[in-house]
mmCIF file of all heavy atoms in Angstrom:
data_model
loop_
_atom_site.group_PDB
_atom_site.id
_atom_site.type_symbol
_atom_site.label_atom_id
_atom_site.label_comp_id
_atom_site.label_asym_id
_atom_site.label_seq_id
_atom_site.Cartn_x
_atom_site.Cartn_y
_atom_site.Cartn_z
ATOM 1 N N LEU T 37 153.023 41.140 118.562
ATOM 2 C CA LEU T 37 153.687 39.988 119.173
ATOM 3 C C LEU T 37 152.637 38.999 119.686
ATOM 4 O O LEU T 37 152.807 37.782 119.564
ATOM 5 C CB LEU T 37 154.614 40.447 120.309
ATOM 6 C CG LEU T 37 155.410 39.339 121.004
ATOM 7 C CD1 LEU T 37 156.232 38.526 120.014
ATOM 8 C CD2 LEU T 37 156.331 39.924 122.080
ATOM 9 N N ALA T 38 151.538 39.525 120.223
ATOM 10 C CA ALA T 38 150.456 38.652 120.707
ATOM 11 C C ALA T 38 149.916 37.805 119.552
ATOM 12 O O ALA T 38 149.725 36.596 119.698
ATOM 13 C CB ALA T 38 149.339 39.493 121.322
ATOM 14 N N GLU T 39 149.683 38.445 118.399
ATOM 15 C CA GLU T 39 149.153 37.715 117.241
ATOM 16 C C GLU T 39 150.145 36.659 116.751
ATOM 17 O O GLU T 39 149.758 35.525 116.459
ATOM 18 C CB GLU T 39 148.841 38.687 116.089
ATOM 19 C CG GLU T 39 147.571 39.504 116.308
ATOM 20 C CD GLU T 39 147.126 40.189 115.010
ATOM 21 O OE1 GLU T 39 147.757 41.203 114.649
ATOM 22 O OE2 GLU T 39 146.185 39.705 114.367
ATOM 23 N N ASP T 40 151.425 37.042 116.657
ATOM 24 C CA ASP T 40 152.443 36.085 116.203
ATOM 25 C C ASP T 40 152.544 34.903 117.161
ATOM 26 O O ASP T 40 152.628 33.746 116.737
ATOM 27 C CB ASP T 40 153.822 36.768 116.110
ATOM 28 C CG ASP T 40 153.882 37.757 114.951
ATOM 29 O OD1 ASP T 40 152.930 37.763 114.138
ATOM 30 O OD2 ASP T 40 154.866 38.515 114.859
ATOM 31 N N ALA T 41 152.563 35.205 118.445
ATOM 32 C CA ALA T 41 152.725 34.148 119.453
ATOM 33 C C ALA T 41 151.532 33.195 119.421
ATOM 34 O O ALA T 41 151.693 31.979 119.532
ATOM 35 C CB ALA T 41 152.875 34.772 120.837
ATOM 36 N N PHE T 42 150.319 33.762 119.233
ATOM 37 C CA PHE T 42 149.125 32.910 119.171
ATOM 38 C C PHE T 42 149.177 32.018 117.935
ATOM 39 O O PHE T 42 148.877 30.813 118.004
ATOM 40 C CB PHE T 42 147.858 33.768 119.172
ATOM 41 C CG PHE T 42 146.582 32.958 119.112
ATOM 42 C CD1 PHE T 42 146.197 32.174 120.187
ATOM 43 C CD2 PHE T 42 145.776 32.980 117.984
ATOM 44 C CE1 PHE T 42 145.030 31.414 120.148
ATOM 45 C CE2 PHE T 42 144.601 32.231 117.928
ATOM 46 C CZ PHE T 42 144.236 31.452 119.015
ATOM 47 N N ALA T 43 149.595 32.600 116.790
ATOM 48 C CA ALA T 43 149.688 31.813 115.554
ATOM 49 C C ALA T 43 150.664 30.649 115.734
ATOM 50 O O ALA T 43 150.398 29.525 115.305
ATOM 51 C CB ALA T 43 150.123 32.710 114.396
ATOM 52 N N GLU T 44 151.769 30.932 116.422
ATOM 53 C CA GLU T 44 152.757 29.881 116.636
ATOM 54 C C GLU T 44 152.200 28.790 117.552
ATOM 55 O O GLU T 44 152.401 27.597 117.310
ATOM 56 C CB GLU T 44 154.025 30.488 117.227
ATOM 57 C CG GLU T 44 155.261 29.674 116.884
ATOM 58 C CD GLU T 44 156.542 30.313 117.417
ATOM 59 O OE1 GLU T 44 156.677 31.558 117.302
ATOM 60 O OE2 GLU T 44 157.385 29.580 117.959
ATOM 61 N N ALA T 45 151.487 29.212 118.577
ATOM 62 C CA ALA T 45 150.895 28.234 119.502
ATOM 63 C C ALA T 45 149.891 27.340 118.775
ATOM 64 O O ALA T 45 149.813 26.139 119.025
ATOM 65 C CB ALA T 45 150.232 28.955 120.666
ATOM 66 N N CYS T 46 149.124 27.932 117.843
ATOM 67 C CA CYS T 46 148.136 27.147 117.087
ATOM 68 C C CYS T 46 148.847 26.101 116.219
ATOM 69 O O CYS T 46 148.393 24.963 116.109
ATOM 70 C CB CYS T 46 147.270 28.050 116.219
ATOM 71 S SG CYS T 46 146.157 29.088 117.179
ATOM 72 N N LEU T 47 149.951 26.528 115.607
ATOM 73 C CA LEU T 47 150.728 25.584 114.792
ATOM 74 C C LEU T 47 151.198 24.410 115.639
ATOM 75 O O LEU T 47 151.101 23.249 115.240
ATOM 76 C CB LEU T 47 151.952 26.295 114.202
ATOM 77 C CG LEU T 47 151.785 26.971 112.854
ATOM 78 C CD1 LEU T 47 153.097 27.606 112.409
ATOM 79 C CD2 LEU T 47 151.316 25.940 111.817
ATOM 80 N N LYS T 48 151.709 24.740 116.835
ATOM 81 C CA LYS T 48 152.181 23.682 117.731
ATOM 82 C C LYS T 48 151.027 22.790 118.158
ATOM 83 O O LYS T 48 151.186 21.581 118.297
ATOM 84 C CB LYS T 48 152.853 24.298 118.961
ATOM 85 C CG LYS T 48 154.215 24.873 118.622
ATOM 86 C CD LYS T 48 155.012 25.222 119.869
ATOM 87 C CE LYS T 48 156.442 25.564 119.499
ATOM 88 N NZ LYS T 48 156.988 26.663 120.304
ATOM 89 N N ALA T 49 149.866 23.405 118.365
ATOM 90 C CA ALA T 49 148.702 22.646 118.815
ATOM 91 C C ALA T 49 148.281 21.629 117.755
ATOM 92 O O ALA T 49 147.887 20.510 118.089
ATOM 93 C CB ALA T 49 147.542 23.584 119.146
ATOM 94 N N VAL T 50 148.351 22.012 116.477
ATOM 95 C CA VAL T 50 147.943 21.089 115.417
ATOM 96 C C VAL T 50 148.756 19.801 115.527
ATOM 97 O O VAL T 50 148.202 18.699 115.514
ATOM 98 C CB VAL T 50 148.119 21.730 114.018
ATOM 99 C CG1 VAL T 50 147.875 20.696 112.929
ATOM 100 C CG2 VAL T 50 147.161 22.908 113.847
ATOM 101 N N ALA T 51 150.070 19.949 115.690
ATOM 102 C CA ALA T 51 150.924 18.765 115.802
ATOM 103 C C ALA T 51 150.659 18.022 117.111
ATOM 104 O O ALA T 51 150.396 16.819 117.115
ATOM 105 C CB ALA T 51 152.391 19.194 115.724
ATOM 106 N N GLU T 52 150.679 18.761 118.199
ATOM 107 C CA GLU T 52 150.592 18.164 119.536
ATOM 108 C C GLU T 52 149.222 17.514 119.800
ATOM 109 O O GLU T 52 149.124 16.392 120.267
ATOM 110 C CB GLU T 52 150.889 19.267 120.559
ATOM 111 C CG GLU T 52 150.724 18.879 122.003
ATOM 112 C CD GLU T 52 151.837 17.981 122.513
ATOM 113 O OE1 GLU T 52 152.925 17.986 121.903
ATOM 114 O OE2 GLU T 52 151.600 17.271 123.517
#
Side-chain angles (χ1 to χ4, degrees):
Chain T
L37 182 55
E39 285 194 283
D40 289 350
F42 180 69
E44 207 177 317
C46 291
L47 271 181
K48 286 192 170 142
V50 172
E52 175 74 22

